Amino acid sequence: MEKRVLFRSSWLPWALLTPQLAVIIVFFFWPASQALVQSLQVQDPFGTSVEWVGMQNFRQLFSDSAYLESFKTTAWFSLLVATLGISISLILAVFADRVVRGAMVYKTFLILPYAVAPAVAGVLWLFMFSPTLGVVAYALEHVGIHWNHLLNSTHALTLIVMAAVWKQISYNFLFFLAGLQSIPKSLIEAASMDGAGPWRRFWSIQFPLLTPTTFFLLVINMVYAFFDTFAIVDATTQGGPGRDTAILVYKVYYDGFKALDLGGSAAQSVVLMVIVIALTVVQFRYVEKKVNY
């Protein structure tokens, strides 16, 4: 039976909602509206003049080959981060769900990366793979791989993907582990008695019941790859070599704060916002049909 709270006055629900609405307006709608207005203007970097130019910033944006190349880099980067992050986390969660002895230590070590700030995670991976100081780069050199993410674009992209996946694994792992532990053990035991092996039990029982969690994490990981990986890119490659790892969110920062193209940077942020909204709508519209609630 559904329980509902009835308020005697009509103003009290709105009063209770006011703090949350204020936070949303100040920190979400106001910056988004400012970006939209600035994307239609050309501003002096020192704020001394503003000229209304309409869609000129957007036309220049889509005629810029560097910006279009950044689209491809971001799409490839986001696909790798979401796919690898979700796959590795699911495997680790399945193993953690079966561990009997030392389970708490195992889970604690897997959750630790979540406490590390993105910039710190980027610096950690930068030191490990530094061509001159890194222990991993040194080990790779001994097996014939000449690692140098400062000159090699593939190495640079690999480095930011590994750092971004490592940072997000803990978040995915917690959700998958909670999902696995909520599955009734009686279902697993019944399948075992019918002769189903671990692989068959996972694909027939556990994974279908985890599809809501997987779908949720797919959306979160795509948003994470688009927006929350700026610090990792800035700490490891700074968009290099050249601009080969300059994903869209990093290019917004570079063009706005270093190139001082405020209107172009605002136009890029508007495009980025539209892309993420479109991806989320597509995921909920089409991918959600494959989810079993």
Side-chain angles (χ1 to χ4, degrees), residues 119 121 151 164 195 272 275 288 290:
L151 299 176
L272 190 58
I275 291 172
E288 194 183 30
K290 305 293 182 183

Side-chain angles (χ1 to χ4, degrees), residues 40-287:
L40 304 174
Q41 300 172 338
V42 170
Q43 300 182 29
D44 181 81
F46 301 101
T48 56
S49 65
V50 177
E51 181 183 355
W52 188 269
V53 294
M55 300 298 288
Q56 179 182 322
N57 288 324
F58 292 96
R59 284 194 292 270
Q60 289 179 348
L61 212 57
F62 288 103
S63 61
D64 183 4
S65 59
Y67 185 68
L68 299 178
E69 192 63 31
S70 181
F71 260 104
K72 297 177 186 176
T73 305
T74 307
W76 186 230
F77 171 75
S78 305
L79 182 65
L80 289 174
V81 169
T83 306
L84 292 175
I86 290 175
S87 303
I88 295 172
S89 305
L90 179 58
I91 294 171
L92 293 173
V94 169
F95 283 123
D97 189 44
R98 294 176 182 174
V99 169
V100 178
R101 298 181 60 182
M104 187 58 68
V105 176
Y106 179 72
K107 294 172 186 173
T108 302
F109 275 109
L110 285 173
I111 295 170
L112 277 179
Y114 194 59
V116 180
V120 177
V123 171
L124 286 174
W125 282 82
L126 175 65
F127 274 110
M128 285 193 298
F129 283 86
S130 169
T132 54
L133 302 172
V135 292
V136 179
Y138 180 78
L140 291 173
E141 189 74 26
H142 279 71
V143 297
I145 300 175
H146 306 291
W147 179 273
N148 193 339
H149 66 269
L150 301 176
L151 299 176
N152 190 307
S153 301
T154 304
H155 290 177
L157 183 62
T158 305
L159 178 60
I160 61 173
V161 168
M162 287 191 295
V165 169
W166 178 79
K167 181 69 184 71
Q168 189 68 0
I169 275 181
S170 304
Y171 186 87
N172 299 336
F173 170 78
L174 286 173
F175 278 89
F176 276 131
L177 184 63
L180 285 168
Q181 292 182 343
S182 66
I183 297 174
K185 298 299 180 187
S186 58
L187 289 176
I188 309 298
E189 292 169 358
S192 299
M193 293 176 65
D194 289 339
W199 187 252
R200 180 67 181 276
R201 293 198 299 270
F202 174 77
W203 285 112
S204 302
I205 299 174
Q206 292 176 305
F207 188 71
L209 293 175
L210 284 176
T211 48
T213 306
T214 308
F215 172 68
F216 166 76
L217 290 177
L218 177 64
V219 176
I220 294 297
N221 277 260
M222 292 297 289
V223 175
Y224 163 74
F226 268 87
F227 283 107
D228 290 346
T229 50
F230 162 77
I232 291 175
V233 175
D234 190 48
T236 51
T237 65
Q238 295 185 336
R243 299 264 67 87
D244 290 341
T245 57
I247 59 175
L248 290 173
V249 69
Y250 187 80
K251 200 170 186 316
V252 170
Y253 156 76
Y254 186 88
D255 288 352
F257 284 87
K258 291 192 174 182
L260 298 179
D261 180 10
L262 302 183
S265 177
Q268 291 179 40
S269 64
V270 170
V271 172
L272 190 58
M273 181 170 58
V274 171
I275 291 172
V276 172
I277 291 173
L279 278 175
T280 307
V281 170
V282 168
Q283 286 172 335
F284 275 93
R285 180 71 177 82
Y286 297 104
V287 182

